[in-house]
Amino acid sequence: MSGQPHRLLVTGGAGFIGSNFIRQQLLESNVGETPVALLLCLDKLTYAGNRANLIELGKDPSFVFVQGDIGDSAQVASLLDQYQITGVIHFAAESHVDRSIDSPEFFVQTNVLGTLRLLESARQYWNHLAPAQKSAFRFVQVSTDEVFGSLEAKAPAFTEQTPLAPNSPYAASKAGSDHLARAYFQTYGFPVITSNCSNNYGPYQFPEKLIPLIILNSLEQKPLPVYGDGGQIRDWLYVTDHCRALRLILEKGQLGEVYMIGGMNEIPNLDLVRQICATLDQLRPRADGLDYSELISFVPDRPGHDRRYAVNCQKIEREIGWQPRENFASGLRETINW
């Protein structure tokens, strides 16, 4: 990518990962090799998007917030042109598996059709750029390890060559958007790079997700729901490590390629909940003297619940030089303190 300052459209930038990405780019130094001149956040502000997530930015002249929908092609086209965007970081998505089981069509509308319209608006804009700007433009498709389905306990981790085999409506909708991104590169030469990350955690996460739900329920001394036997294994990635990887992919990633981003922290859900409880026992002991783990409550497993996810990060380490900086214990403590 050329050394011209980035002017980025960040979709879903008021959500958990998107807002962490924006804050990291504008509030931290030495995140990437090329300066950021503009970060344009486009967010529909549904239940998981929160304008307050970006309150720290105040009146930063490099930051612009627009409430809108990635599926509104006219609005997206206007913003791309008005702000002379040099790249798109596409976070916007419906992302909660349980909600997708209850309302699958909504996920397809947002994640598949919305991504299609965004890709097409960006492609039309890119087609009319001058040669140097066209060569520098990037579209980063931010995806998930859930598109690959479930792993057996001792199976090798997912790689960039693993076939997509989604098992939930959410995962299927994200797989659909990944297929579209790939097709736009193969058919039109549109400069797409895709990332597939493992489970994120950290500040500003919506409380329906496992880690914030367990923290908040513990502090309110409510039951701590654990699906099935709690043996589902996930790889946990601290959100700022993910954001740093995306910036490096934007600047150093090869067009049309896929990069796995993982925290290298595979933990069964029950062990994760117990670790949160143990950390809270240290930081905020219960007034009644009992351990928070006494609140653990097993609930019926969700339909089609994947047993294990794990990603192999060798490609991004080898080609881009990224590794996670946060270990799970330190990241969890920072999350709880926040």
Side-chain angles (χ1 to χ4, degrees):
M1 192 170 186
S2 76
Q4 66 173 318
H6 298 299
R7 300 179 63 84
L8 301 178
L9 169 61
V10 182
T11 71
F16 166 45
I17 306 175
S19 64
N20 272 284
F21 179 83
I22 290 174
R23 285 193 307 276
Q24 184 184 75
Q25 307 314 305
L26 294 182
L27 300 178
E28 298 181 20
S29 59
N30 303 317
V31 175
E33 296 181 354
T34 305
V36 172
L38 174 79
L39 277 169
L40 170 61
C41 171
L42 176 65
D43 200 292
K44 195 175 179 180
L45 293 183
T46 58
Y47 70 94
N50 187 350
R51 184 72 174 84
N53 287 348
L54 300 164
I55 197 72
E56 296 171 68
L57 301 178
K59 297 182 179 179
D60 189 323
S62 300
F63 175 69
V64 176
F65 176 83
V66 174
Q67 184 172 352
D69 188 343
I70 58 171
D72 185 341
S73 299
Q75 182 184 34
V76 172
S78 175
L79 292 172
L80 290 166
D81 186 62
Q82 177 183 351
Y83 290 98
Q84 300 178 332
I85 296 300
T86 64
V88 177
I89 312 294
H90 179 33
F91 293 105
E94 296 296 329
S95 65
H96 194 236
V97 174
D98 288 351
R99 286 178 183 262
S100 80
I101 293 170
D102 293 335
S103 305
E105 184 173 338
F106 186 52
F107 279 68
V108 172
Q109 288 287 340
T110 300
N111 298 351
V112 180
L113 187 57
T115 296
L116 172 64
R117 290 176 174 169
L118 177 67
L119 281 164
E120 184 59 18
S121 296
R123 183 180 74 88
Q124 294 292 346
Y125 168 78
W126 170 76
N127 270 338
H128 293 93
L129 292 174
Q133 286 72 38
K134 190 173 184 180
S135 177
F137 190 87
R138 297 290 183 271
F139 186 107
V140 179
Q141 162 74 2
V142 182
S143 190
T144 169
D145 56 4
E146 296 194 39
V147 299
F148 302 108
S150 184
L151 283 171
E152 296 297 328
K154 296 184 179 180
F158 300 132
T159 72
E160 290 79 7
Q161 286 74 46
T162 302
L164 274 58
N167 290 326
S168 71
Y170 159 62
S173 68
K174 286 298 291 183
S177 66
D178 291 357
H179 280 311
L180 285 168
R182 182 182 187 278
Y184 264 64
F185 174 75
Q186 296 291 338
T187 301
Y188 306 111
F190 185 62
V192 170
I193 308 171
T194 297
S195 67
N196 293 93
C197 70
S198 57
N199 282 34
N200 279 220
Y201 71 103
Y204 300 92
Q205 190 168 27
F206 192 69
E208 71 184 356
K209 301 291 184 156
L210 179 59
I211 288 180
L213 175 68
I214 296 301
I215 294 170
L216 293 173
N217 278 19
S218 295
L219 294 175
E220 296 173 8
Q221 297 196 26
K222 295 179 179 179
L224 308 181
V226 175
Y227 279 128
D229 63 0
Q232 303 86 1
I233 297 171
R234 300 292 182 263
D235 171 37
W236 291 93
L237 171 65
Y238 193 64
V239 64
T240 55
D241 278 332
H242 182 196
C243 295
R244 186 167 47 83
L246 292 173
R247 176 66 179 270
L248 291 171
I249 287 171
L250 172 75
E251 297 185 343
K252 299 181 179 181
Q254 296 298 309
L255 299 184
E257 291 295 317
V258 176
Y259 294 93
M260 296 290 193
I261 309 172
M264 305 178 196
N265 294 302
E266 284 191 60
I267 304 171
N269 284 350
L270 182 56
D271 291 351
L272 167 66
V273 172
R274 287 172 172 161
Q275 190 165 341
I276 293 173
C277 290
T279 306
L280 283 170
D281 288 336
Q282 297 173 2
L283 298 177
R284 186 78 64 84
R286 289 174 57 175
D288 59 13
L290 297 176
D291 293 341
Y292 284 101
S293 61
E294 299 284 342
L295 299 170
I296 292 174
S297 173
F298 293 93
V299 299
D301 210 352
R302 73 157 60 119
H305 201 173
D306 292 334
R307 193 65 177 173
R308 173 176 170 244
Y309 304 139
V311 300
N312 183 321
C313 299
Q314 291 181 3
K315 181 176 178 178
I316 193 171
E317 291 178 10
R318 181 178 66 252
E319 295 188 7
I320 296 180
W322 174 90
Q323 286 185 330
R325 293 174 178 171
E326 206 72 56
N327 64 54
F328 187 71
S330 63
L332 181 59
R333 186 170 287 262
E334 289 187 26
T335 304
I336 290 172
N337 283 334
W338 177 81

